Amino acid sequence: MLVKEYRICMPLTTEEYRVGQLYTISKHSHQESEKGEGVEVVKNEPHEDPVHGPGQFTEKRVHLSSKLPSWARAVTPRIFYITEKAWNYYPYTITADSHSLQCSFLPKFSIYIETKYEDNCGDSENIFHSDKILGDHEVSFLDIAFDEIPERYYRSLEDPRFFSSAKTGRGPLREGWRQHTKPIMCSYKLVSVKFEVWGLQTRVEQFVHKVIRDILLIGHRQAFAWVDEWCGESMGSPRR
């Protein structure tokens, strides 16, 4: 099992991010579904937790066939998807349990994502209580403005180094923006990937983390670049 913690800062408050996150997921899912892939919502219903209170449960199928590298497509069926179950008690969310986020044909593959959101620049140490985590894990800060993304996903209008919000006056983001930008919040994500197949474990787990890293960067860049589309809107009940 390969465990990594990602910290992604945004020039938003946590309440603003909640709306922006939902808008971005909805818009991106619609765009992907038009291409014949993307996200299929199986369930989306209220859920009450004795510790975290009221929230929302979602179950989705994330279709990924065309996004796999050639070496992975050679050993996967033509129709390939991951089943995702998520419990959202914002500002705390859980994506999957030890057996929930699985691909359609590999029962020994699972992903667990725990998320917390705070109004700071990513400086909360041990936010996930690492003494409860099996083994050491790496902490990676993802910079939405200056970290590279795959070239095929680059859009100049979604580049935080050049984007300026007409509604909020925020942006463009300059070098060192996390240290002097207000407001600022951070999305902390603890991601565990497990693939129990001898000979492929390390390669697959590293590949999945690379895909997750890219998805997190692209999604958060878009959430900021689309701020003038969702700012001031209400998205209703929380989802992932």
Side-chain angles (χ1 to χ4, degrees):
M1 182 168 62
L2 183 58
V3 182
K4 293 187 179 183
E5 180 184 331
Y6 300 96
R7 300 183 183 184
I8 314 103
C9 290
M10 296 282 282
L12 305 169
T13 67
T14 53
E15 284 306 307
E16 289 173 333
Y17 178 85
R18 180 178 186 173
V19 177
Q21 176 196 47
L22 298 177
Y23 177 87
T24 301
I25 291 172
S26 176
K27 180 174 178 177
H28 190 262
S29 297
H30 177 70
Q31 290 174 339
E32 288 295 300
S33 63
E34 289 181 338
K35 302 174 186 176
E37 289 211 344
V39 179
E40 172 192 357
V41 179
V42 179
K43 289 183 180 180
N44 183 14
E45 57 193 26
H47 186 270
E48 186 83 19
D49 183 85
V51 176
H52 303 293
Q56 197 79 4
F57 169 74
T58 58
E59 181 178 341
K60 307 171 187 174
R61 288 181 179 177
V62 185
H63 296 268
L64 298 171
S65 297
S66 68
K67 295 178 174 59
L68 296 175
S70 57
W71 62 265
R73 288 198 298 270
V75 296
T76 61
R78 184 175 61 85
I79 300 176
F80 173 75
Y81 61 83
I82 288 176
T83 298
E84 172 198 286
K85 296 181 181 179
W87 294 260
N88 189 341
Y89 312 101
Y90 198 89
Y92 173 74
T93 69
I94 304 171
T95 302
D97 58 26
S98 59
H99 300 289
S100 296
L101 188 49
Q102 298 180 336
C103 73
S104 52
F105 79 109
L106 289 175
K108 294 185 178 181
F109 170 61
S110 63
I111 303 172
Y112 181 96
I113 303 174
E114 187 175 355
T115 306
K116 293 184 179 181
Y117 306 99
E118 290 190 349
D119 285 306
N120 56 50
C121 62
D123 55 2
S124 287
E125 295 302 324
N126 202 25
I127 191 171
F128 294 106
H129 306 292
S130 59
D131 57 311
K132 299 179 181 178
I133 301 171
L134 184 62
D136 295 331
H137 71 279
E138 170 190 338
V139 176
S140 297
F141 283 87
L142 304 187
D143 190 324
I144 64 169
F146 293 94
D147 281 358
E148 291 186 3
I149 62 172
E151 185 176 353
R152 66 185 181 278
Y153 295 116
Y154 179 81
R155 305 286 185 275
S156 59
L157 293 177
E158 297 173 358
D159 192 331
R161 296 174 300 173
F162 309 120
F163 170 74
S164 180
S165 167
K167 286 188 177 180
T168 68
R170 300 170 201 171
L173 302 183
R174 306 303 186 193
E175 285 278 7
W177 65 273
R178 286 195 298 118
Q179 281 68 50
H180 55 72
T181 297
K182 300 292 182 182
I184 192 166
M185 58 80 62
C186 184
S187 172
Y188 296 81
K189 290 185 175 289
L190 185 68
V191 182
S192 304
V193 179
K194 182 168 62 175
F195 185 67
E196 298 177 313
V197 176
W198 185 85
L200 287 175
Q201 179 173 359
T202 299
R203 189 177 188 182
V204 170
E205 290 177 353
Q206 290 177 341
F207 168 75
V208 172
H209 269 285
K210 173 63 168 62
V211 171
I212 290 173
R213 177 192 178 278
D214 290 343
I215 290 173
L216 291 175
L217 268 176
I218 295 164
H220 284 77
R221 284 165 64 98
Q222 290 174 331
F224 176 54
W226 296 342
V227 64
D228 288 344
E229 299 178 27
W230 57 259
C231 184
E233 298 295 323
S234 174
M235 299 300 290
S237 299
R239 292 171 290 175
R240 175 178 173 269

